[in-house]
Amino acid sequence: MSYNRLAVYSHRGWASSAIVDALAKSGAPLKVIHRPGSDLSSLPSSVTTAEVDIKDEAALAAALQDIDIMISLVGQPDTALQHHMIAGIKSSPVKLFSPSNLGLLFEEEAMVIPVVKAKLGVEQAAKEAGIPTTSIMPNSFAESGLDAPLKGIDMENNRVMLTGDSATYPTNFCTRPYVAAAYASIFAQTPIDQLANRHIALTELTPTGNEIIAAMTAKFGTAPEIKHSTVESLTPIIQSGAPWSLAAYCRKIWGTGKIPEMMGTDVWEVPGYKKATLHELVVEGKLVPYKRLPQFFLDELNKM
């Protein structure tokens, strides 16, 4: 099976750096599109680069002349930049665009959350431009879901905030290495016509709140402090569109048991990959720390 020629934009982020590393090791030709002045020292010698102002759509199109698949890994603040990517792709031979998603199949309630609306707007713009897309959906990184209290799990202080029935409903976590391996498995050699216009879910572990509590009890030798909130209490936070509204939404859909449905049925399994377990990550301490969130953001999460 032949390799697809890949291009990536955004190579230095917490998740994107691992994904780029996995793509570079996949054997597929990889080009990193980067902004002027970007640090390229972490890239292996096999990766080619192109310095482009992403808003210069003609320059981007020129850089993509030898590319089959364009992969965007931009963080939330740069979501809107992908509209410039779409314009550049439209004038290039690129056959497939993977916009930065890393979420799930959002329902109507989430449309008031700015970053969700922006991401879905990018997908719609690509569709209107006639560009096939592939979105990758791990729902939540295990590192952010277990090491930071985004979902109500405060590992550092042995505390858990349960929302609705999250004690008995499963969530969905993927570690950063699993997501990186999945990107390589999906994009390196899969024929493009088999990827077009798909929302591909990733699932590595699906613990319930009770299973997480049991793992934390085993880790610390004492049960975590447990608090409860209602799903109704999160609705005003979601509707506010505040920076932490997405975290509130994710807690709500866990507490109402909607996560499995919202992951969809198109689940990608990485061949030969040994998935992490909750025991390994929590009890054995193999969970990699997540980046430190700003204190004001943590304060708001702890109020939910």
Side-chain angles (χ1 to χ4, degrees), residues 152 159-163 166 224-229 302 304:
R159 297 185 302 196
V160 174
M161 173 63 79
L162 296 173
T163 301
S166 61
E225 176 188 354
I226 301 173
K227 296 183 178 180
H228 295 82
S229 67
N302 290 327
M304 292 184 192

Side-chain angles (χ1 to χ4, degrees), residues 25-165:
K25 294 175 180 175
S26 71
L30 178 64
K31 178 184 289 187
V32 167
I33 309 294
H34 64 92
R35 67 189 69 190
S38 183
D39 183 1
L40 306 176
S41 61
S42 63
L43 297 176
S45 59
S46 60
V47 175
T48 60
T49 61
E51 181 179 295
V52 175
D53 178 350
I54 210 71
K55 296 180 181 180
D56 185 340
E57 295 156 7
L60 177 59
L64 296 176
Q65 289 303 305
D66 56 351
I67 298 299
D68 301 313
I69 301 174
M70 174 71 182
I71 300 170
S72 171
L73 299 173
V74 297
Q76 293 184 8
D78 289 331
T79 299
L81 286 178
Q82 295 175 109
H83 289 279
H84 297 287
M85 295 182 200
I86 290 168
I89 289 169
K90 194 172 180 180
S91 301
S92 78
V94 168
K95 305 178 184 69
L96 184 72
F97 176 45
S98 179
S100 182
N101 186 325
L102 298 177
L104 36 60
L105 296 170
F106 292 103
E107 57 188 0
E108 186 64 28
E109 183 183 18
M111 295 305 104
V112 297
I113 302 171
V115 66
V116 172
K117 185 176 181 180
K119 287 186 175 185
L120 295 183
V122 170
E123 290 190 14
Q124 182 61 31
K127 181 179 180 180
E128 292 173 357
I131 301 169
T133 60
T134 303
S135 292
I136 308 302
M137 307 187 307
N139 180 30
S140 294
F141 282 95
E143 293 85 353
S144 62
L146 292 171
D147 186 57
L150 292 168
K151 284 203 162 188
I153 311 301
D154 185 353
M155 195 72 62
E156 181 180 358
N157 297 298
N158 197 23
R159 297 185 302 196
V160 174
M161 173 63 79
L162 296 173
T163 301
D165 294 319

Side-chain angles (χ1 to χ4, degrees), residues 8-21 73-74 176:
V8 170
Y9 183 78
S10 186
H11 67 284
R12 298 180 59 217
W14 179 84
S16 63
S17 58
I19 293 170
V20 168
D21 185 60
L73 299 173
V74 297
R176 180 172 56 171

